[in-house]
Structures are given as structure tokens and as C-alpha cells.
Amino acid sequence: ISDARQAGRDLSLIRGDRRSGHGKAGDLYTHALFYVNGRTPAHLRMEVFDLFDGVSWLAEERQPHVEQPRIRTVDDRSWLSLIVTGRGFELFNGTVTHSIKTANLDGNVIPAPAHLEGVNIPQVDRADMYFVDRYGIVSMDRKSIPSKTPVNLVSHCVDRRLAASNVLDLAKSPAGHLIALPAGDDMDRVRGLAEQLTDSLPRGWSQILAIEDYLRKNCTLDRSAKVAADVSSPVEEFLFRTRRGPEYLFAASAAVMLRSLGYQTRVVSGFYARPDRYDAQRRNTPVFAEDAHVWCEVGIGASTWLTLEPSPGYQLLTPPSNLWEKLMMGLHAAWRLLVRHSGVLLAVTVVLVLMFLQRRFLEDALRTVRWRFIPGSDPRNQAAGLAELIDHRLRLAGLARQTGTTLS
């Protein structure tokens, strides 16, 4: 990660068996890099790669954002306010908040979701203490973020159902490096596969989802799989021969296939906060070095980019549920519980039904046992208890004493 944050770094699709020292690796895998408080799964961006030479994705030198960020005070807190693009597409459904506490994270880049609107660090109240690049990635104007520093984030959540209805027809993207691909027979084969998968679909979101869905269903995620060093086209090797590899091959393949159809794409590296790592006792999700992840983004115009997740086993954060959705989720969870424990629930139901049908005999048995164990040996107490027991049995049989008739 410390290398990846440097300007001009590349994301190569061919990697050797690089091993670090045992002590360093043990530290990375034993201690979390940072902790996330908030809804998961979360894709936390660190760096963007938008140049592709056929083997590696390259990151340009970081340039500042065209709009200078400013500080806004909300509830006595100083927030770095960022401009969120894409509002005109009506893609967003609510906001989501995350709090990040650094631990062993090396670097000054703040891991944050896409469509970031605000950043708050206690005691940081000046805009020049931050640096926002043209991709919307925020970093601190210092060498590294101090350990245990809390960072509060507010971002907009994309509703893919709204994207399916609002991003209907994407015009051919203008020529540029965001759709540029190297020439060669390998790219022609990739373009042929992409056209075959999307031939019957209208241009737009349906084609984008078709590419994403194809990779998730037809390729196998295997982090141990490597591309041979003599392979000239890792994407072609992955799509037409192995169909197995790490997530960066999934992200690169999705980006290349979409570029071959004229869509603007780029590859993003960062971290994936896993829902299954949630610590209920501490109420946060630890993120380790092994949670480093690569995915891709597609441009839909107006400087708006949407996250795609072509790697199987990884999920995107969904918008907050409304009342009706929560009710349906509760009913669905209850049904799953009934199915999972159907045998036990059937036995309990049978027992309860039998108890209800025999409730008079059970009640009489309990009262009889209580009378037999009346404390003391006073005959008057025993006789009075017996009279009450007989009186109760008469009521159970429908022969209750008439009003005004005494017990004796």
C-alpha cells in the first residue's frame, strides 16, 4: 500500500511470487490496518488506474480536483465539503456514514467510499490540511495519518435499481484515454466476446450488467492463480483459457470488455470491509492487509462513475431499507428460521396443541398435587382445601355453584 500511493505507480496483471519477511507478514496479518464503524460491505477507494497498455494499468500523477474543497461547520464539527456529481441521473437513495480509526495503515490516503460528500477529522479545521485529487480521493497533507486517528465519512449510496431505469442509453464515449485499448488480435477477440454477450441488449446499463454478470458466473476467483510471465495478453489468457485468477484480473477484464464497447472505464484499488468480519462486541469491522481489493468503475457521463463488482464473493452496499423492506426482510428471515428448524417447531406445536386440548385435566392435576401437599396437619385446613378443589372441579365440568350458594 505504501508503494501504491506513490504517483505514477502501476497495477500489473502479471505478478511473481513476491514474499516479504516473516515478521512483517505476521504483523500485517495479525493486526488490523484500520477499523470501520458503519454499514458493510464497503468498497474503500485508495487509488485509481485509468491507462492500460495491455499488461498493466497505470496511474497518472495525482492532480488536484478542479473544484477547491472548503470547510463547512455542522454541529460544531469542521467538515471537508466535496461536490458529489451525478445528482441529475437520480441514482442516489440516501446517505451512508462510516467512521474509520487507523491502526497500522501506512500512508496519507484516507480509505473512503465513492460519491464522498464530507470528511471530518477532529481538530482539523482547515481545507489546506487536505488534498483532494481529480478522482475524489482525499488524503492528508502530511506523510502519514497518525495511528488511532478517527475519520468520519459521509457518502451517497447508489441504488442500482434506479441506475437500471435512469441510465438507459449511453452515447458512444468520445475518444480518449478512458476508452483507449492497445491494438492487436487479442483485443479483437475480447471485443468479439463482449459484443456476443451484449448483442441483443440495448446500449446502457443492461449491457454493463451483462458483462459484470458473465464474469461473476463463468469465472472462478482464485488468489493463488498467477499469470505466466511470458503471457503477452493477461486479459485474453484469463477470458479464453484459464477463467481463474485473483480479483484484479476480474476487474481488468470487465474494464477492457466495456472499453471495447465504447464505455469509459477505470480500475480502482483499495480495501473491502467484509460483513462477516463484524465484531459485535466492539461494534466495528476490522480491515486487514489481506482485505486489499481491486474493482472497476464505469463512467456514465457528467464526471459520474459507478462501481462495478465483477469478482464473485464480493457484494456492493445496498441503500438503507425503508419500513416496508425491513418488514419483508423480517418475514423472510422468520420463514428461513421456520424451514431450518421445522422438526423442532413441529414437535413444539404438537405439544402445545395437546396441552390446549387437555388443559382442564392438566389444570385439575396441578391443583390436586398442590392440595395433597398442603403444609401442616390441621384437618380444618385440609378439609377447606378439599372443598375448594371439589368446587373447582365442578366449575371445570360446567356445574358451578349458583350465586348465593355458600361453599359449605
Side-chain angles (χ1 to χ4, degrees):
I1 300 302
S2 59
D3 289 340
R5 76 171 188 271
Q6 297 178 14
R9 296 297 301 175
D10 66 299
L11 179 69
S12 177
L13 304 183
I14 298 178
R15 303 186 181 187
D17 296 328
R18 296 167 57 186
R19 297 180 180 273
S20 58
H22 294 289
K24 183 177 180 181
D27 291 341
L28 287 175
Y29 282 86
T30 301
H31 303 292
L33 298 181
F34 57 92
Y35 299 88
V36 178
N37 187 301
R39 295 177 60 226
T40 56
H43 288 68
L44 306 174
R45 305 160 82 236
M46 295 287 287
E47 190 169 19
V48 174
F49 304 87
D50 52 13
L51 300 175
F52 184 59
D53 63 4
V55 176
S56 300
W57 285 88
L58 308 174
E60 293 184 316
E61 185 176 354
R62 298 185 66 187
Q63 298 293 331
H65 198 278
V66 292
E67 295 287 344
Q68 293 297 322
R70 59 187 179 87
I71 294 293
R72 185 177 60 172
T73 301
V74 180
D75 296 333
D76 296 329
R77 288 187 177 186
S78 298
W79 287 84
L80 181 72
S81 180
L82 294 92
I83 297 178
V84 180
T85 59
R87 296 181 187 271
F89 291 107
E90 298 182 355
L91 304 171
F92 303 125
N93 186 358
T95 57
V96 59
T97 59
H98 292 93
S99 294
I100 293 176
K101 179 174 288 187
T102 60
N104 299 301
L105 184 64
D106 182 23
N108 62 350
V109 177
I110 298 174
H115 312 292
L116 190 63
E117 183 179 38
V119 179
N120 165 255
I121 300 178
Q123 310 304 322
V124 178
D125 56 0
R126 288 166 40 194
D128 59 2
M129 299 182 71
Y130 296 96
F131 176 79
V132 182
D133 67 12
R134 61 191 182 95
Y135 303 114
I137 295 178
V138 182
S139 57
M140 293 192 68
D141 187 19
R142 56 180 298 156
K143 184 177 181 181
S144 62
I145 303 175
S147 180
K148 299 181 181 180
T149 298
V151 183
N152 301 309
L153 308 169
V154 177
S155 58
H156 287 261
C157 193
V158 173
D159 191 335
R160 288 165 72 95
R161 296 170 299 182
L162 295 177
S165 59
N166 294 333
V167 186
L168 298 178
D169 183 22
L170 296 177
K172 282 285 185 179
S173 301
H177 69 283
L178 294 173
I179 62 171
L181 291 174
D185 294 338
D186 55 335
M187 292 296 105
D188 292 337
R189 290 193 65 190
V190 173
R191 182 180 298 106
L193 175 61
E195 292 175 348
Q196 177 184 348
L197 294 174
T198 60
D199 182 56
S200 60
L201 300 174
R203 181 171 179 81
W205 192 242
S206 57
Q207 290 189 348
I208 295 172
L209 293 184
I211 299 295
E212 182 188 57
D213 189 61
Y214 172 80
L215 292 170
R216 292 180 67 89
K217 291 183 177 179
N218 294 276
C219 301
T220 303
L221 181 64
D222 183 0
R223 284 195 163 192
S224 63
K226 304 288 184 181
V227 178
D230 57 350
V231 172
S232 60
S233 178
V235 172
E236 182 193 29
E237 177 79 7
F238 174 75
L239 289 175
F240 296 100
R241 295 180 181 85
T242 63
R243 293 188 179 181
R244 175 184 295 271
E247 64 271 18
Y248 56 80
L249 285 176
F250 284 82
S253 298
V256 171
M257 293 174 75
L258 289 172
R259 280 195 177 191
S260 70
L261 297 176
Y263 295 98
Q264 300 184 42
T265 60
R266 60 193 187 190
V267 172
V268 181
S269 67
F271 293 97
Y272 180 75
R274 300 175 178 272
D276 55 0
R277 289 195 190 276
Y278 178 72
D279 189 337
Q281 183 177 1
R282 294 181 173 85
R283 297 183 180 180
N284 58 35
T285 303
V287 177
F288 298 87
E290 61 195 45
D291 294 320
H293 185 47
V294 180
W295 60 96
C296 65
E297 295 178 342
V298 59
I300 60 174
S303 301
T304 303
W305 295 81
L306 299 184
T307 300
L308 299 182
E309 184 47 90
S311 300
Y314 292 86
Q315 303 296 330
L316 295 173
L317 182 66
T318 57
S321 302
N322 55 36
L323 182 60
W324 173 253
E325 291 173 336
K326 290 180 180 179
L327 177 61
M328 296 305 297
M329 290 173 58
L331 293 176
H332 185 62
W335 174 253
R336 289 203 310 260
L337 183 64
L338 288 174
V339 173
R340 187 181 304 129
H341 303 286
S342 57
V344 176
L345 291 174
L346 180 61
V348 172
T349 302
V350 170
V351 171
L352 292 176
V353 170
L354 292 176
M355 291 178 63
F356 176 77
L357 296 176
Q358 303 294 326
R359 61 189 183 279
R360 294 181 178 86
F361 296 97
L362 293 174
E363 186 177 356
D364 178 64
L366 291 174
R367 288 180 174 272
T368 302
V369 170
R370 189 181 67 175
W371 170 74
R372 289 185 179 278
F373 291 96
I374 291 179
S377 57
D378 185 1
R380 295 177 59 85
N381 291 338
Q382 294 181 358
L386 178 59
E388 292 179 359
L389 178 61
I390 295 174
D391 189 48
H392 180 71
R393 287 182 175 180
L394 290 173
R395 287 199 300 272
L396 292 177
L399 302 172
R401 288 186 291 113
Q402 296 180 359
T403 304
T405 303
T406 63
L407 179 62
S408 57

